[in-house]
Amino acid sequence: QVYLVESGGGSVPSGGSLRLRCVVSGINFRLFPMAWYRQVPGEERKLVAHITDTGSTNYTDSVKGRFVISRDNARTTVALQMNSLKSEDTGVYYCNSPLRGSGTRWPWRRGTQVTVSS
């Protein structure tokens, strides 16, 4: 069984920074692509940043140049460094492994709340 534990969220003013962390256990972590997703009330969960098993990264346009996704295979963690935060970055952030095309591999966990005040 796969376990995902997200942490690092909080409340920050606009322009601030946060570093999210997701610890993954129960699988051979290095074989899987990983991603961070954001959900706001009333909307679908959306992909924010993606990293392949080989370390290539991709970002949604709204966070390019501000967010950095990284992975540490030895510690089976994926991180999201969030800089120059804006109020529209507010939401619950989740990690998961994206499937090709659409969908994710594992059940969603609790996520971590990020609140950016303007």
Side-chain angles (χ1 to χ4, degrees):
Q1 186 173 0
V2 180
Y3 292 94
L4 306 169
V5 180
E6 301 103 339
S7 63
S11 296
V12 295
S14 179
S17 297
L18 285 171
R19 184 175 179 83
L20 307 185
R21 185 168 178 258
C22 173
V23 180
V24 185
S25 59
I27 48 93
N28 191 345
F29 177 77
R30 65 181 65 247
L31 298 180
F32 293 90
M34 293 297 299
W36 283 96
Y37 300 78
R38 175 174 63 225
Q39 188 171 32
V40 299
E43 297 184 12
E44 292 185 353
R45 207 174 271 117
K46 296 178 181 178
L47 188 144
V48 172
H50 169 269
I51 186 166
T52 68
D53 58 330
T54 58
S56 297
T57 59
N58 195 22
Y59 302 89
T60 192
D61 286 346
S62 64
V63 308
K64 285 181 180 177
R66 300 189 297 121
F67 290 12
V68 178
I69 187 172
S70 60
R71 65 188 297 154
D72 184 337
N73 290 336
R75 291 180 171 82
T76 66
T77 61
V78 57
L80 186 67
Q81 179 65 42
M82 311 165 68
N83 300 321
S84 302
L85 282 161
K86 303 177 181 180
S87 57
E88 51 262 45
D89 297 321
T90 293
V92 181
Y93 284 72
Y94 303 85
C95 68
N96 211 312
S97 180
L99 294 167
R100 288 187 179 180
S102 64
T104 53
R105 282 188 171 79
W106 306 314
W108 297 103
R109 307 301 292 182
R110 293 184 178 181
T112 186
Q113 174 72 47
V114 171
T115 302
V116 185
S117 57
S118 57

